[in-house]
Amino acid sequence: MDKHQKWMHQALALAEKGRGNTSPNPMVGAVLVKDSKVVGEGFHQKFGGPHAEVGAIAQAGESAKGAMLYVNLEPCSHEGKTPPCALKIINAGISEVFIGMIDPNPQVNSRGIRLLQDAGITVHVGLLEDEARQLNRGFIHTFEKKRPWITLKMAQTADGYIADVSGKSQWISSSVAREFVMNQRTQHDAIMVGMGTVFKDDPGLLPVNRDGFIPYRVVLDDILRIPSRLRLVSDEFRNRTVIVTTTDEKKQKIKQLIGSGVQIMHVPGDSFGWIDLPKAMGQLAEFGITSIYSEGGSQVAGSLIQQGLVDEIQLFVAPKALGEGISTFSGFMKSLDSAIQLEWEDVQMLGPDVLIRGRLA
């Protein structure tokens, strides 16, 4: 690893500290280096707060003049909730800037780079770009696809069932796999389930650490059936619950839920009368959710797969067999010639289970 990669890795690590608090803005870290020493560093701590570059420059003070800046995302060039970072960099007298990736936001998108170059600053773009894109894949995705990045997680037996014939699914996967899932919850803006999972498990959908970042809990509830006694609408984190529904007829129930802090999002129904998922995902992106971890059942999984709304698949396969049960995906039926194609990218062992990661081909 050369010195430039070393400092960019440090910027990426700083950016990670903002996870969960910056959406819909990106996670950004900045490191200022002079005479091979760090003279300033910063990261974007929360939405609407100072940007990473501003924090690094403030910490460096006069030492910023003539220093090299490492930042994982192109500095902004427009007036938003904060002044343009590109101008701050120019005014600080920074001589050279290393950038991980170009900002996909149309308001920036190379304008920040040109602003720096026009001021006589040497700019390098693409240092550890893959890592920079992975860090902010949800932010990037909302600009490119107009919807959040969606990771579909499913746990099944070796013969392809997510629950036995009675509907019992706890626990198909091992404690090691469940620990992995808990960590994934902190890597996404929201966790999503359907009403089948809500009725069956009364889930909390919370990470282990309740004192840190709490993701939104998105419930797909087309006709607003959720009982007020369930945890998602009654626990202390109910203000982090978003119910996506097609109905506005249950006015008293809607009023009670909103009054308790629950968010209600109305979306159109599809041709079958269920939630129009593409439109729902678009509205969730507008709401500020850039990444979703789907932990729903077979109907939710099948609908997301069939409509091409899955960006990553995490399939946990447990060394168990049921013979009969509830299939992993439901809601569609294909011939072998027209089967939906998946592409596996990584396989690893998690305790006794196999985790297969992939995507739609």
Side-chain angles (χ1 to χ4, degrees), residues 295-346:
E295 296 189 37
S298 60
Q299 182 185 357
V300 172
S303 296
L304 291 171
I305 286 278
Q306 186 180 20
Q307 296 184 55
L309 296 173
V310 176
D311 303 294
E312 180 183 354
I313 299 169
Q314 295 180 1
L315 182 63
F316 297 85
V317 182
K320 301 173 182 177
L322 292 174
E324 290 187 22
I326 298 174
S327 298
T328 306
F329 306 117
S330 67
F332 65 90
M333 183 167 55
K334 300 284 187 180
S335 68
L336 188 58
D337 291 337
S338 63
I340 296 171
Q341 297 294 316
L342 310 180
E343 188 172 298
W344 301 129
E345 297 177 330
D346 180 63

Side-chain angles (χ1 to χ4, degrees), residues 199-245:
F199 279 131
K200 181 165 61 70
D201 298 336
D202 186 18
L205 305 179
L206 295 166
V208 173
N209 179 13
R210 311 290 166 84
D211 297 323
F213 164 59
I214 302 296
Y216 281 105
R217 294 143 351 144
V218 175
V219 182
L220 301 176
D221 185 1
D222 55 343
I223 56 174
L224 206 58
R225 295 178 292 162
I226 190 166
S228 58
R229 70 178 186 276
L230 297 187
R231 286 193 286 176
L232 288 171
V233 292
S234 65
D235 67 15
E236 61 182 303
F237 302 107
R238 57 187 177 274
N239 66 322
R240 300 295 287 179
T241 297
V242 180
I243 298 178
V244 179
T245 184

Side-chain angles (χ1 to χ4, degrees), residues 18 43 50 78 104 138 156 162 185 203 231-232 253 261 285 317 328 331:
F43 70 98
H78 65 295
Q156 68 170 49
I162 62 169
R185 287 180 178 178
R231 286 193 286 176
L232 288 171
K253 186 170 186 178
V317 182
T328 306

Side-chain angles (χ1 to χ4, degrees), residues 76-304:
C76 63
S77 56
H78 65 295
E79 188 87 28
K81 289 185 177 291
T82 60
C85 290
L87 293 181
K88 290 274 188 181
I89 293 167
I90 293 166
N91 293 335
I94 292 167
S95 62
E96 197 168 1
V97 178
F98 292 82
I99 296 170
M101 62 169 285
I102 294 171
D103 191 331
N105 185 342
Q107 292 182 294
V108 186
N109 203 246
S110 296
R111 289 181 177 87
I113 293 169
R114 288 197 295 271
L115 205 60
L116 297 175
Q117 290 173 331
D118 289 346
I121 296 173
T122 302
V123 180
H124 310 269
V125 181
L127 180 62
L128 299 185
E129 182 174 0
D130 288 345
E131 290 89 336
R133 293 185 68 85
Q134 177 67 18
L135 177 76
N136 279 310
R137 63 186 187 180
F139 170 75
I140 298 166
H141 205 264
T142 55
F143 282 107
E144 293 179 347
K145 302 290 187 179
K146 309 303 181 188
R147 66 166 176 82
W149 174 279
I150 299 175
T151 301
L152 174 62
K153 166 257 172 184
M154 299 298 285
Q156 68 170 49
T157 60
D159 51 349
Y161 298 112
I162 62 169
D164 63 22
V165 289
S166 72
K168 182 180 178 181
S169 61
Q170 294 181 328
W171 296 102
I172 283 179
S173 57
S174 66
S175 59
V176 179
R178 296 197 296 274
E179 183 178 346
F180 178 91
V181 168
M182 285 292 183
N183 179 260
Q184 286 293 295
R185 287 180 178 178
T186 66
Q187 305 297 306
H188 294 76
D189 290 344
I191 316 303
M192 185 170 71
V193 293
M195 282 307 297
T197 298
V198 171
F199 279 131
K200 181 165 61 70
D201 298 336
D202 186 18
L205 305 179
L206 295 166
V208 173
N209 179 13
R210 311 290 166 84
D211 297 323
F213 164 59
I214 302 296
Y216 281 105
R217 294 143 351 144
V218 175
V219 182
L220 301 176
D221 185 1
D222 55 343
I223 56 174
L224 206 58
R225 295 178 292 162
I226 190 166
S228 58
R229 70 178 186 276
L230 297 187
R231 286 193 286 176
L232 288 171
V233 292
S234 65
D235 67 15
E236 61 182 303
F237 302 107
R238 57 187 177 274
N239 66 322
R240 300 295 287 179
T241 297
V242 180
I243 298 178
V244 179
T245 184
T246 62
T247 184
D248 59 3
E249 295 178 357
K250 300 180 179 179
K251 298 188 185 301
Q252 186 59 34
K253 186 170 186 178
I254 291 170
K255 182 178 178 181
Q256 289 174 344
L257 287 167
I258 293 174
S260 71
V262 174
Q263 311 266 356
I264 303 292
M265 183 176 292
H266 292 96
V267 299
D270 62 16
S271 58
F272 299 101
W274 200 55
I275 293 166
D276 187 317
L277 282 179
K279 289 181 179 176
M281 297 306 109
Q283 285 189 220
L284 287 169
E286 291 174 7
F287 179 78
I289 291 173
T290 67
S291 59
I292 292 175
Y293 196 58
S294 178
E295 296 189 37
S298 60
Q299 182 185 357
V300 172
S303 296
L304 291 171

